[in-house]
Amino acid sequence: MAVQLEGSLRKMKTTLDNPVTYRLSLGGEEIVMNELIGRTLQLEFLGDIHCVQCGRKTSKSFQQGYCFVCMKRINECGNCIIHPERCQVEKTGCPDDDWAHAQCDKPHVVYLANSSGLKVGITRDTQVPTRWMDQGAMQALPFLQTSNRYQAGMIEVLFKPHVSDRTNWRTMLKQDATPIDLMAERDRLLALVKDELDAFI
């Protein structure tokens, strides 16, 4: 039996089950994607893009669904979302009732993950393990905790010369990642950045 839905797509939601449960948000409905494995699914772009913040029609979206005006105006699109090492939470700070303050002035973890090979990343501690499911990680290991986003971003920068901070989505979708001894990699990387890390901490 064919089911037809129409509406705006939102970020897919995940739940840590065995296996992970994926739910697609489409036009206010949630579709359990696991139930569609082995079935034919057709997505058709109808030509309209609407901002996830204000709802206005736009010709292009920015940073996961915002129009240009909202992207420039709201803190969800702040520079520290892309570059956490530039976060201002410790320098100029953010107002206590600001979205950015609520996101950045919280404990963060630095982790290693394997979804398309070894990578380093950061996330709020409340996003463990959601962040790893979103990235399609088959393995993940949190190994440092910080007080805020800026500190985690600075630590991530120390590791970038030695390990990628990006996921190769093509490899991830093919599930070609080879299992990795994450604890051994953690120890190897910590040894490489020991002096810089000691100086920062």
Side-chain angles (χ1 to χ4, degrees), residues 7-201:
S8 296
L9 280 173
R10 300 300 294 261
K11 177 184 172 184
M12 194 177 296
K13 298 178 181 177
T14 56
T15 305
L16 184 58
D17 294 323
N18 189 15
V20 171
T21 301
Y22 293 90
R23 297 185 314 282
L24 183 70
S25 298
L26 174 63
E29 300 280 335
E30 284 195 357
I31 305 159
V32 180
M33 298 302 288
N34 301 53
E35 296 173 359
L36 300 179
I37 293 173
R39 295 175 60 185
T40 300
L41 178 67
Q42 180 178 335
L43 298 176
E44 181 182 354
F45 175 52
L46 301 178
D48 289 342
I49 301 172
H50 294 270
C51 176
V52 296
Q53 175 72 17
C54 69
R56 77 175 56 132
K57 189 173 178 180
T58 178
S59 60
K60 189 175 180 181
S61 68
F62 301 85
Q63 294 195 15
Q64 300 188 41
Y66 296 94
C67 68
F68 185 77
V69 173
C70 287
M71 187 266 295
K72 287 301 217 179
R73 179 176 54 86
I74 64 174
N75 289 314
E76 283 91 331
C77 298
N79 195 32
C80 65
I81 299 303
I82 306 298
H83 298 284
E85 71 276 12
R86 299 179 190 170
C87 180
Q88 298 295 306
V89 72
E90 286 193 358
K91 294 180 182 177
T92 58
C94 308
D96 287 349
D97 61 349
D98 190 286
W99 184 94
H101 185 89
Q103 306 305 307
C104 298
D105 195 26
K106 292 279 190 291
H108 279 63
V109 297
V110 183
Y111 64 86
L112 292 176
N114 179 17
S115 52
S116 61
L118 186 66
K119 70 159 289 208
V120 65
I122 71 166
T123 192
R124 292 190 311 280
D125 64 350
T126 56
Q127 289 300 298
V128 172
T130 302
R131 178 67 174 152
W132 305 328
M133 292 185 290
D134 288 349
Q135 293 179 335
M138 60 185 284
Q139 297 173 275
L141 175 69
F143 64 97
L144 290 172
Q145 183 163 352
T146 66
S147 298
N148 58 49
R149 185 171 185 80
Y150 167 74
Q151 294 169 0
M154 290 298 292
I155 292 172
E156 182 185 39
V157 167
L158 297 179
F159 288 97
K160 284 183 183 182
H162 309 289
V163 62
S164 177
D165 65 334
R166 301 182 187 278
T167 298
N168 182 325
W169 63 269
R170 292 173 184 85
T171 304
M172 179 194 72
L173 291 177
K174 292 177 185 175
Q175 296 184 339
D176 281 347
T178 304
I180 297 170
D181 185 340
L182 292 182
M183 290 191 177
E185 288 297 325
R186 172 202 62 192
D187 295 344
R188 178 183 70 84
L189 291 165
L190 284 171
L192 288 171
V193 301
K194 182 181 185 309
D195 292 341
E196 299 100 314
L197 191 57
D198 287 347
F200 178 73
I201 294 174

